[in-house]
Amino acid sequence: GDSVTQMEGPVTLSEEAFLTINCTYTATGYPSLFWYVQYPGEGLQLLLKATKADDKGSNKGFEATYRKETTSFHLEKGSVQVSDSAVYFCALYSGGYQKVTFGIGTKLQVIP
Amino acid sequence: EAGVTQFPSHSVIEKGQTVTLRCDPISGHDNLYWYRRVMGKEIKFLLHFVKESKQDESGMPNNRFLAERTGGTYSTLKVQPAELEDSGVYFCASSLRAVTSSEKLFFGSGTQLSVL
């Protein structure tokens, strides 16, 4: 079945540091890949997505590239801010009538 | 526009008691999903409603869980009787159409359930 593996965290970074959160997946066919973010006290919201190999999703300074050869979709940001502190979930959708499959979530804490 | 609303935000109950969680999706969203995140584990799909019909309930853990969506508006998820392993965060999500690569899920902020 489909699965998503991401680093467990928590990840603690100083403001303006570089962020990478690793995500790898197992899926049938060619899934679409997503990063969702959950800020404290809020629901999950879609951060970015990529629907085919070599696509790069980007939003709010975050980027992730769909790497089919390594089955990865790592999340990166060049300079994190305190306001980026949240839990980040990698997810995939395999197409047809399928459910969205999520990873365990990675908690990011950015300190001033 | 109001988002997906869930309540209560927190619930603490004793083993063997009953708890009912409620979700109000975005108005007009026919598709409603329940997910659960047990601490330290991934968010797991529980079930999917299309209007008032259960489209997929393959993720429901056992028959202690009962979900309803009478009238195709809000949904409830009842756990009876609750067990310790039911503790976790229960998320509700809705979408206008069934999820696809381009259809976005809108999530509520979740209900934190603690069974003691």
Side-chain angles (χ1 to χ4, degrees), chain B residues 34-84:
Chain B
W34 283 98
Y35 285 84
R36 177 174 73 172
R37 185 188 188 206
V38 173
M39 187 159 59
K41 300 200 173 180
E42 65 272 21
I43 297 174
K44 288 276 201 185
F45 168 84
L46 296 178
L47 87 159
H48 170 207
F49 283 100
V50 178
K51 297 184 180 178
E52 66 275 8
S53 300
K54 291 175 186 174
Q55 186 73 34
D56 181 356
E57 53 184 328
S58 61
M60 294 287 264
N62 51 61
N63 59 10
R64 294 186 294 103
F65 288 75
L66 175 64
E68 295 181 322
R69 193 183 182 194
T70 307
T73 54
Y74 70 91
S75 174
T76 58
L77 179 64
K78 185 192 301 189
V79 185
Q80 179 182 29
E83 298 289 345
L84 299 179

Side-chain angles (χ1 to χ4, degrees), chain A residues 1-106:
Chain A
D2 295 346
S3 67
V4 174
T5 301
Q6 63 179 108
M7 53 197 295
E8 195 164 337
V11 175
T12 302
L13 294 174
S14 297
E15 208 165 17
E16 299 184 2
F18 184 86
L19 168 72
T20 299
I21 300 178
N22 290 337
C23 171
T24 58
Y25 66 89
T26 303
T28 53
Y30 303 98
S32 295
L33 303 174
F34 308 89
W35 278 99
Y36 277 82
V37 59
Q38 184 185 20
Y39 298 103
E42 299 183 13
L44 280 76
Q45 51 187 278
L46 181 65
L47 178 61
L48 53 84
K49 69 177 184 182
T51 57
K52 60 183 188 296
D54 300 325
D55 266 3
K56 178 186 283 188
S58 61
N59 186 24
K60 299 182 180 180
F62 290 89
E63 293 183 340
T65 301
Y66 189 142
R67 301 285 188 201
K68 184 169 174 291
E69 63 276 12
T70 55
T71 61
S72 66
F73 192 54
H74 304 321
L75 182 68
E76 297 181 335
K77 186 173 185 182
S79 175
V80 293
Q81 305 301 311
V82 172
S83 57
D84 294 327
S85 298
V87 182
Y88 292 82
F89 294 90
C90 186
L92 69 83
Y93 167 71
S94 284
Y97 189 73
Q98 299 289 340
K99 308 165 261 293
V100 177
T101 300
F102 289 89
I104 63 171
T106 302

